[in-house]
């Protein structure tokens, strides 16, 4: 079993897992437009250059365009030296898009020294984990918002899984089971796993410590409790205050380490966390 020193060595240079985020940057490649679940807090209809939230990108890239963009950024004398991680985080779910795998293949061939990282809802993780291992995925983030399917049914409108649409608790049961199995197998492969949990007041407060205990048991490295961005189905919900969020993180830190400098990045973020540089042109509206 990996020791705490081993785990810390693995995340050196990764700004989203506790590495020095003041010196080490990441580049997100927006190659994954399709999604297979409907999260109540997610909307991807609008994009403006000054907007920072998950699911937003100014331009979708093909794998060929993505590797060209990596070459451009890595050749920059200003940005290139700080980039340590190539990530795919959307704007849909990476595992619902074959472009994800092709992009990672191209990056691995040309820039083998860069860490490969991915963020997913986890629905297709058990189906895809062997391929991700073969592509030498270094680190994985799974968004897990509930263990109780009854709570999950309040968060997710539906899932599309193996050609069929599921709703309600049935959908949440499948999603949660796949998320947990995917995390277990990713840890078994030696990947460094972070779990994101969106804190939705009035919906999943009681689930947060339960999630922390379960993912600790499965071998996850760190937990990232994120505040709700009120939009879509949860536009009417008041997000947690910074003080509340700090208190929840502190309480759960006794269970598993907490990641506290997340900025809920765009799917095309480049640079240091909180100090992104502009790459490409921005459109003001993208199709929903």
């Amino acid at each position: 079993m990996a020791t705490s020193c081993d785990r810390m060595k693995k995340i050196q240079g990764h700004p989203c897992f506790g590495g020095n985020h003041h010196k080490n940057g990441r580049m997100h490649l927006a190659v994954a437009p399709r999604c297979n679940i409907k999260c109540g807090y997610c909307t991807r209809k609008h994009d403006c250059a000054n907007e920072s939230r998950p699911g937003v990108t100014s331009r979708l890239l093909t794998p060929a365009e993505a590797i060209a963009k990596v070459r451009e950024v890595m050749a920059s004398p200003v940005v290139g030296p700080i980039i340590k991680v190539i990530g795919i985080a959307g704007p849909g779910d990476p595992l619902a898009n074959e472009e994800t795998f092709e992009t990672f293949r191209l990056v691995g061939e040309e820039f083998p020294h860069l860490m490969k990282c991915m963020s997913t809802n986890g629905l297709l993780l058990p189906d895809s984990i062997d391929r991700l291992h073969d592509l030498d995925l270094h680190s994985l983030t799974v968004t897990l918002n509930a263990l109780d399917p009854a709570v999950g049914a309040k968060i997710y409108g539906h899932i599309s899984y193996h050609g069929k649409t599921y709703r309600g608790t049935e959908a949440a049961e499948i999603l949660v089971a796949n998320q947990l199995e995917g995390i277990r197998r990713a840890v078994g492969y030696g990947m460094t796993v972070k779990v994101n949990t969106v804190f939705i007041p009035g919906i999943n407060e009681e689930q947060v410590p339960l999630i922390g205990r379960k993912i600790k048991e499965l071998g996850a490295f760190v937990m990232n409790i994120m505040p709700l961005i009120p939009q879509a189905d949860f536009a009417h919900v008041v997000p947690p205050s910074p003080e509340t969020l700090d208190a929840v993180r502190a309480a759960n830190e006794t269970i598993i380490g907490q990641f506290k400098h997340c900025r809920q990045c765009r799917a095309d973020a480049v640079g240091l966390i909180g100090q992104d540089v502009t790459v490409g042109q921005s459109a003001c509206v993208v199709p929903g």
Side-chain angles (χ1 to χ4, degrees):
M1 179 177 291
T3 66
S4 58
C5 285
D6 292 334
R7 289 192 293 269
M8 288 308 295
K9 286 178 183 177
K10 286 194 68 175
I11 57 90
Q12 289 302 313
H14 198 314
C16 302
F17 280 72
N20 190 332
H21 63 282
H22 298 294
K23 294 183 178 180
N24 301 317
R26 78 288 185 242
M27 180 177 186
H28 288 176
L29 301 175
V31 297
R34 294 172 293 281
C35 198
N36 48 15
I37 73 175
K38 176 62 179 76
C39 299
Y41 51 75
C42 180
T43 181
R44 297 186 288 150
K45 290 183 180 297
H46 305 288
D47 165 44
C48 289
N50 63 352
E51 187 173 27
S52 181
R53 58 179 169 82
V56 169
T57 184
S58 293
R59 180 171 176 264
L60 288 170
L61 302 175
T62 66
E65 290 170 332
I67 192 63
K69 185 60 67 175
V70 175
R71 292 188 197 112
E72 176 187 342
V73 169
M74 295 307 294
S76 164
V78 176
V79 184
I82 69 172
I83 299 298
K84 309 298 181 184
V85 179
I86 297 296
I88 299 179
D93 187 77
L95 296 181
N97 297 265
E98 190 62 28
E99 292 89 343
T100 294
F101 302 96
E102 175 63 8
T103 300
F104 277 143
R105 184 187 69 78
L106 293 172
V107 170
E109 287 181 353
E110 194 162 338
F111 299 95
H113 65 289
L114 295 176
M115 299 181 196
K116 291 185 283 293
C117 179
M118 191 190 72
S119 180
T120 177
N121 60 44
L123 179 61
L124 292 178
L125 197 48
D127 296 347
S128 307
I129 193 66
D130 293 339
R131 295 181 71 189
L132 295 173
H133 173 65
D134 291 343
L135 288 165
D136 195 30
L137 189 77
H138 172 276
S139 42
L140 177 71
T141 295
V142 181
T143 299
L144 175 57
N145 296 316
L147 296 179
D148 184 344
V151 177
K154 298 176 182 178
I155 299 173
Y156 306 106
H158 66 263
I159 69 169
S160 298
Y161 184 58
H162 290 175
K164 185 176 178 181
T165 298
Y166 298 87
R167 303 180 187 279
T169 56
E170 184 179 22
E173 285 173 356
I174 294 169
L175 178 59
V176 172
N178 287 7
Q179 290 169 329
L180 297 180
E181 175 63 10
I183 291 170
R184 183 189 69 79
R185 291 185 59 193
V187 170
Y189 267 137
M191 297 176 192
T192 305
V193 177
K194 171 164 63 74
V195 169
N196 285 352
T197 298
V198 180
F199 181 41
I200 311 171
I203 301 292
N204 69 344
E205 298 104 317
E206 295 182 357
Q207 293 289 294
V208 174
L210 302 179
I211 293 169
R213 292 188 187 97
K214 185 62 179 179
I215 63 174
K216 177 69 172 180
E217 172 190 316
L218 293 173
F221 177 73
V222 71
M223 184 181 193
N224 176 25
I225 303 172
M226 305 161 60
L228 172 74
I229 298 175
Q231 57 187 9
D233 297 344
F234 294 115
H236 63 287
V237 176
V238 177
S241 67
E243 294 76 18
T244 297
L245 192 63
D246 286 345
V248 171
R249 287 171 171 167
N252 284 277
E253 200 158 22
T254 62
I255 302 171
I256 186 171
Q258 297 291 307
F259 181 75
K260 300 177 182 178
H261 55 266
C262 176
R263 294 296 180 267
Q264 293 172 283
C265 300
R266 296 164 57 98
D268 57 2
V270 179
L272 300 175
I273 293 177
Q275 301 178 43
D276 291 316
V277 297
T278 300
V279 177
Q281 295 180 338
S282 174
C284 271
V285 179
V286 295

